[in-house]
Amino acid sequence: MAMSHAEIGLIGLGTMGAALALNIAEKGFPIAVWNRTTSVTDSFFDAAGALAPKIIPTRSLTEFVSALKSPRAIILMVPAGQAVDDQIAALQPLLNSDDLIIDAGNANFHDTNRRSSAALGLRFLGMGVSGGEEGARHGPSIMGGGARADWDRISHILTAIAAKADDGMPCATWMGEAGAGHFVKAVHNGIEYADMQMIAEVYGVMRDGLGMDAPAVATTFATWNAGPLKSYLIEISAGVAAAIDPITGAAMLDVILDAAGQKGTGRWTAIEAQHLAAPVPVIEAAVMARNVSARLGERAKGEDRFGPAPMRLSGEITVDDLEQAMIAGKILCYAQGFAMISAASEAFKWALPLPEIAKVWRAGCIIRSSMLDAMARALGEDAGRNLILAPEFSDRLEETLPALRRVVAAGALNGLACPALGAGLSWFDLMRTRRGTANMIQGQRDFFGAHGFDRLDGADHHHGPWGSHA
Ligand code: 6PG
């Protein structure tokens, strides 16, 4: 039987769980681990090398629980959904009311809300962890949710394992009660989808519109990564475009099937945004584009019927325009994402700390970028103001919007789809128009359903003279 001296435990030694466990051990915290399949635990321990003395491998749940110091803290890194409920149920009889379970998977925040308010007979935290395997191993970004006192109990471990921003701040922050941490992680993933989609769109314009090959795309992204677009996703996109397929010797990009996978976190964000009536069209366009990408057969039939698109752009736009368009698109996308977080904060009474969220995303996570520093500053000045109205970002938008317009327009005229960039632009144009067009919608609603409308002059007359037309 293992000694009860592990500071923390971790269940689920898949890629992320194993990396997180090694990170925790490396920071000096003795950790007990358990996996449903014992051979996985054995190979994990065998590969732990110099970190093995800090790791207690266990072969049963009882052995695992008794290896932990009391009150216990147990990280779950198992697939989101039923597996989490099953694991909690299996642990319940073995734990006390002050023992703490931390769900570190990509849970739907509604599930985390449910688990937080259920009478589990133990403490529960929901924690979003971003950064993929590399992040989990050497410094992820951590978004926590649940009771503040429970977070405080383990925050010394979380801040030790988290990524550190350039100013030294650990990227591990308590976001609020219940599902707040998993909610912020979902929005992170929605933005991740959107950033990835916008990069894919400018890549498409380079490839199909400007006739650039993969190495030229790689060089362009690498150059951008030294400027305002400096970010993990631009950096790895340069890497993806530069890679060579070991089988054919062709560019890797040219042999990868154009059908995007998804586990659904971006989709959850789009769905939740609809519930909150919070417009996030860039994220929605990104989810839509992934769904369309999977319909290979239908797309092929479309091309057969309507002819091949796109056509080459005839000098209408440049690579510089694409960089400027990306900058504008990114600002618009993040403005929408933070506004959605604001809407959720109010709807769920969470008091989500917007500037801290921008800060916690500066390092470790997939959407880390140099622009988040300025966003954290702008949100720190006034978290209630839409980012597009913060002087630094409104100035940048004024500079970059003409290029975004050129790119979206050239795409539309030449059959190059830019749904996320286009969605950002349309949202911007709606957001900067005092007199919109919903007066027509109100007229229609009143015409067919007597739903009434407000008048510009404020006069007390709320139905139209539709008469015999009604
Ligand atoms: C992260 C990622 C991570 C994972 C997603 C990818 O922040 O580390 O978001 O959570 O890569 O599951 O999501 P899709 O499979 O939906 O693209």
Side-chain angles (χ1 to χ4, degrees):
M1 186 66 71
M3 306 242 307
S4 317
H5 67 276
E7 192 95 2
I8 192 157
L10 184 141
I11 291 179
L13 292 169
T15 312
M16 292 291 286
L20 208 60
L22 292 175
N23 186 355
I24 293 170
E26 191 175 65
K27 299 301 175 307
F29 302 100
I31 179 168
V33 295
W34 182 76
N35 196 81
R36 207 168 34 149
T37 313
T38 303
S39 59
V40 172
T41 312
D42 292 343
S43 5
F44 166 77
F45 187 68
D46 291 346
L51 296 175
K54 289 280 176 204
I55 297 170
I56 304 164
T58 62
R59 309 180 81 82
S60 73
L61 215 45
T62 324
E63 189 192 346
F64 169 77
V65 167
S66 58
L68 298 168
K69 264 189 201 162
S70 194
R72 303 173 182 91
I74 298 171
I75 296 177
L76 297 189
M77 203 42 131
V78 299
Q82 192 57 45
V84 175
D85 289 312
D86 292 348
Q87 197 56 64
I88 294 172
L91 282 166
Q92 269 171 325
L94 306 173
L95 298 182
N96 300 321
S97 58
D98 56 353
D99 290 337
L100 173 64
I101 291 183
I102 306 126
D103 175 12
N106 261 336
N108 184 317
F109 82 96
H110 288 296
D111 285 340
T112 307
N113 280 344
R114 168 176 58 77
R115 290 171 188 135
S116 300
S117 61
L120 296 177
L122 42 79
R123 312 296 310 160
F124 185 78
L125 285 176
M127 184 170 95
V129 178
S130 176
E133 182 182 4
E134 183 66 14
R137 177 65 185 85
H138 298 292
S141 167
I142 298 175
M143 295 146 258
R148 177 74 209 220
D150 293 330
W151 170 264
D152 289 343
R153 231 170 87 180
I154 53 157
S155 63
H156 62 292
I157 301 179
L158 301 177
T159 50
I161 63 166
K164 309 292 177 293
D166 285 346
D167 62 4
M169 187 195 113
C171 293
T173 301
W174 179 76
M175 297 296 167
E177 301 292 323
H182 276 136
F183 174 81
V184 173
K185 175 70 199 326
V187 178
H188 165 285
N189 280 30
I191 293 176
E192 171 184 308
Y193 277 40
D195 266 343
M196 292 165 77
Q197 174 62 26
M198 288 189 287
I199 293 171
E201 289 174 16
V202 294
Y203 153 66
V205 175
M206 287 183 214
R207 184 189 67 183
D208 299 326
L210 303 178
M212 291 165 60
D213 60 11
V217 171
T219 310
T220 305
F221 283 151
T223 310
W224 291 3
N225 200 42
L229 287 172
K230 183 172 167 48
S231 59
Y232 174 69
L233 283 170
I234 290 284
E235 180 192 329
I236 65 162
S237 301
V240 169
I244 300 296
D245 174 27
I247 300 171
T248 60
M252 210 54 235
L253 256 184
D254 294 337
V255 300
I256 300 176
L257 188 73
D258 52 322
Q262 56 181 314
K263 294 197 209 80
T265 44
R267 183 184 297 158
W268 294 345
T269 309
I271 292 169
E272 202 51 43
Q274 293 290 346
H275 285 305
L276 290 164
V280 291
V282 182
I283 296 173
E284 287 165 351
V287 176
M288 177 278 290
R290 282 203 193 191
N291 294 336
V292 172
S293 79
R295 297 171 175 257
L296 289 160
E298 276 180 81
R299 290 196 280 120
K301 282 184 193 151
E303 179 164 326
D304 290 344
R305 171 62 185 84
F306 296 105
M311 298 183 298
R312 285 285 162 87
L313 302 178
S314 43
E316 288 146 78
I317 54 163
T318 63
V319 167
D320 282 349
D321 284 334
L322 292 174
E323 182 181 15
Q324 301 297 304
M326 251 322 282
I327 294 171
K330 196 168 165 101
I331 295 170
L332 297 170
C333 167
Y334 281 68
Q336 294 163 13
F338 281 112
M340 174 177 173
I341 292 173
S342 233
S345 188
E346 211 178 303
F348 305 134
K349 304 194 174 18
W350 270 339
L352 295 170
L354 268 71
E356 301 307 312
I357 293 171
K359 283 185 189 165
V360 92
W361 288 347
R362 288 177 305 166
C365 68
I366 303 293
I367 65 169
R368 61 187 182 261
S369 76
S370 60
M371 222 186 263
L372 279 160
D373 269 316
M375 290 182 182
R377 253 193 330 269
L379 292 164
E381 284 161 13
D382 180 356
R385 171 187 60 189
N386 191 291
L387 259 192
I388 63 170
L389 297 177
E392 180 164 353
F393 289 103
S394 47
D395 289 351
R396 281 217 202 167
L397 278 173
E398 271 184 329
E399 285 159 29
T400 53
L401 274 161
L404 179 62
R405 292 190 191 287
R406 280 196 295 280
V407 169
V408 171
L413 288 172
N414 293 282
L416 293 167
C418 295
L421 290 170
L425 182 59
S426 294
W427 173 82
F428 172 79
D429 282 332
L430 290 170
M431 286 292 284
R432 51 75 64 86
T433 300
R434 179 169 278 119
R435 176 74 172 146
T437 58
N439 48 325
M440 173 55 91
I441 291 168
Q442 287 298 78
Q444 292 162 341
R445 293 177 69 245
D446 191 52
F447 194 114
F448 64 63
H451 294 293
F453 50 77
D454 292 334
R455 293 175 55 103
L456 279 177
D457 58 13
D460 192 18
H461 184 77
H462 298 294
H463 290 287
W466 318 126
S468 60
H469 297 292

